[in-house]
Amino acid sequence: MTNLVVGAHVSGDNPFEAAKALGLAAIQVFVADPQSWKSPVIPGGLTPEQFRAGAADAGVDVFVHARYVINVATTNNKVRIPSRKMLQADMDAAASIGAKGLIVHGGHVTADDDPMVGFANWRKAVEQLDMKVPLLLENTAGGNHAMARRLDAIKHLWDAVSDSGAGFCLDTCHAHAGGIPMGDVAETI
């Protein structure tokens, strides 16, 4: 685990001040309201250039968390197709501010869906994605039909996307809430 980075999600109002106050080497921000389908905006009302300069001055690595409403796993076309577009928009915004990666939840399917369809939908999504920064899939805390909650689902998701160059972001709080044993969670994942 030589590339382990520990950071914190900070407010977009003044992320660099928060990073300095907390002594962080890495921060995570949203580029839009996490529950919104609206276009991305740069945190703090900054231009992309100002944001990159602020991160450099603060000496922090920046990661962007994609919006929670994104669900590229679903079989519902009215959600999946806009989710793919939004994932690309968040990817583009992340690249514009010099982010080291875009973190996204795995989404879910319904009880009536075959989970393997959700994993296939993820594969299709990453094949279409112009990956300007690394895409980091994050485990989730809940959802009986989530693509990244339990270890077996995470394995299937990883099998579907690992050839794309995607990575993984381990949220230890989500892992604990999702019932994954914490003793060796990093090694297990």
Side-chain angles (χ1 to χ4, degrees), residues 3-116:
N3 61 351
L4 180 66
V5 176
V6 178
H9 203 131
V10 296
S11 167
D13 296 337
N14 195 332
F16 311 119
E17 186 176 294
K20 286 180 184 177
L22 295 170
L24 300 173
I27 60 172
Q28 185 180 134
V29 296
F30 288 108
V31 292
D33 177 338
Q35 299 293 346
S36 169
W37 291 92
K38 294 181 180 177
S39 296
V41 295
I42 306 306
L46 304 173
T47 66
E49 296 78 18
Q50 291 169 325
F51 194 94
R52 287 193 305 272
D57 289 345
V60 296
D61 288 335
V62 175
F63 293 81
V64 170
H65 197 298
R67 288 171 266 181
Y68 298 142
V69 294
I70 293 174
N71 184 2
V72 300
T74 184
T75 59
N76 181 339
N77 289 341
K78 292 180 181 178
V79 175
R80 187 180 66 257
I81 293 168
S83 290
R84 286 181 182 173
K85 291 177 183 176
M86 185 180 292
L87 184 61
Q88 186 64 61
D90 284 2
M91 173 67 71
D92 295 345
S96 79
I97 64 172
K100 301 287 185 185
L102 176 65
I103 298 164
V104 63
H105 290 166
H108 62 278
V109 295
T110 68
D112 296 330
D113 294 325
D114 178 356
M116 298 312 281

